[in-house]
């Protein structure tokens, strides 16, 4: 599968963790909070009954190719791990290629049914001027948040993009590492069924209407990621638009709780060393995976990256 396809799939559950930030971007969190989290994306998980350590790495699903780099330390961990676990099992092509059946709106609904005629015309105009990998006639049948994720990939100022997951998987293939997934495509796509399609359509319209602002936010997020500043990344999430706050549990926080349980089980009760590579936005903050694992009694050690 092309890297763009991988990135879009992995963006399903995390796009709107960040996309609503511009309206309140002027606010800041206390300086003490920012300095409390070491600037690294790579963490060792140990203790709490684990016979072997596992590792947690924060990815960004869409990066300019020049910025997508694997550190020497991460390469060593990939080589020494028993297997690699992403948000999705990207080595399962049946799972990956079947994602289209999950991203269609139910009951044959279409985008034009969710917007006024004038609003739909604005969306149609955008896609006539900005061609994506799928024709507009097909996009109108898909869940609007998925369409937004397709747009987000275009906002990076570079001709070629890469996902960190793709690079990690390529490095893992050198050592025949097995790939697993914490979630399924069906589950991630199903998250959007919990959010009214009409709201998704209105958010898609707002996304398009303010595309220049969202582009700046996307580029800012990429810079924060390159600095490995998880505290600032968490700040972007916390400042999400009030309209999305009621859905943050669905899109982000409940999944973090699930993952904090799953990590021990996936590592065979701590008997195997696993590299868990998930979106960096899931790691930091009081409701992030790092904090949740600490509360369970695990030791989280920041590693040079």
């Amino acid at each position: 599968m092309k890297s763009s396809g991988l990135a879009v799939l992995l963006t399903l559950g995390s796009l709107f963790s960040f996309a609503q930030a511009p309206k309140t971007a002027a606010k800041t969190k206390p300086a003490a909070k920012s300095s409390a989290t070491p600037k690294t994306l790579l963490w060792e998980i140990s203790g709490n009954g684990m016979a072997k350590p596992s590792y947690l790495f924060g990815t960004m699903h869409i990066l300019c190719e020049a910025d997508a780099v694997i550190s020497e330390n991460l390469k060593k961990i990939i080589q020494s791990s028993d297997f690699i676990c992403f948000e999705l099992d990207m080595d399962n092509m049946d799972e990956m290629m079947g994602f289209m059946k999950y991203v269609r709106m139910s009951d044959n609904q279409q985008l034009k049914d969710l917007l006024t005629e004038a609003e739909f015309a604005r969306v149609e105009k955008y896609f006539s001027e900005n061609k994506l990998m799928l024709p507009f006639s097909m996009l109108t049948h898909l869940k609007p948040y998925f369409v937004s994720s397709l747009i987000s990939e275009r906002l990076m100022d570079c001709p070629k993009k890469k996902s960190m997951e793709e690079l990690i998987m390529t490095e893992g293939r050198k050592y025949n590492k097995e790939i697993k997934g914490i979630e399924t495509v069906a589950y991630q796509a199903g998250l959007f069924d919990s959010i009214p399609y009409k709201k998704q359509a209105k958010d898609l319209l707002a996304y398009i209407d303010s595309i220049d602002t969202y582009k700046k936010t996307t580029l800012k997020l990429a810079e924060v990621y390159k600095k490995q500043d998880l505290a600032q990344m968490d700040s972007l999430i916390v400042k999400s638009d009030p309209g999305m706050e009621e859905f943050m549990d669905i899109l982000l926080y409940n999944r973090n709780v699930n993952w904090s349980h799953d990590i021990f089980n996936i590592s065979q009760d701590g008997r195997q060393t696993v590299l868990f590579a998930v979106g960096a936005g899931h790691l930091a903050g009081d409701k992030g995976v790092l904090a949740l694992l600490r509360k369970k009694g695990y030791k989280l050690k920041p590693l040079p990256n």
Side-chain angles (χ1 to χ4, degrees), residues 56-79:
L56 186 61
F57 178 75
T59 67
M60 187 165 176
H61 306 321
I62 303 170
L63 277 173
C64 290
E65 186 175 44
D67 295 328
V69 179
I70 298 180
S71 69
E72 291 303 315
N73 211 15
L74 182 55
K75 288 180 181 179
K76 292 177 183 177
I77 289 172
I78 292 171
Q79 183 177 1

Side-chain angles (χ1 to χ4, degrees), residues 24-39:
T24 54
K27 298 179 182 178
T28 58
K29 298 186 76 177
K33 176 72 173 179
S34 297
S35 62
T37 304
K39 291 185 178 180

Side-chain angles (χ1 to χ4, degrees), residues 151-168:
I151 295 175
S152 71
E153 188 186 357
R154 296 178 53 89
L155 301 184
M156 304 297 292
D157 276 332
C158 45
K160 292 184 179 180
K161 288 98 174 175
K162 287 280 187 181
S163 72
M164 290 302 299
E165 290 84 358
E166 182 184 10
L167 291 183
I168 291 170

Side-chain angles (χ1 to χ4, degrees), residues 291-303:
L292 293 172
L293 288 172
R294 286 192 183 101
K295 289 178 182 178
K296 289 179 176 294
Y298 294 97
K299 295 170 62 177
L300 276 297
K301 177 183 177 182
L303 299 176

Side-chain angles (χ1 to χ4, degrees), residues 1-21:
M1 182 182 289
K2 295 179 180 179
S3 61
S4 57
L6 293 174
V8 166
L9 281 170
L10 287 161
T11 305
L12 280 174
S14 57
L15 171 69
F16 279 85
S17 300
F18 306 105
Q20 305 296 323

Side-chain angles (χ1 to χ4, degrees), residues 75-88:
K75 288 180 181 179
K76 292 177 183 177
I77 289 172
I78 292 171
Q79 183 177 1
S80 64
S81 295
D82 291 303
F83 60 90
I84 300 167
C85 190
F86 296 113
E87 293 181 31
L88 298 170

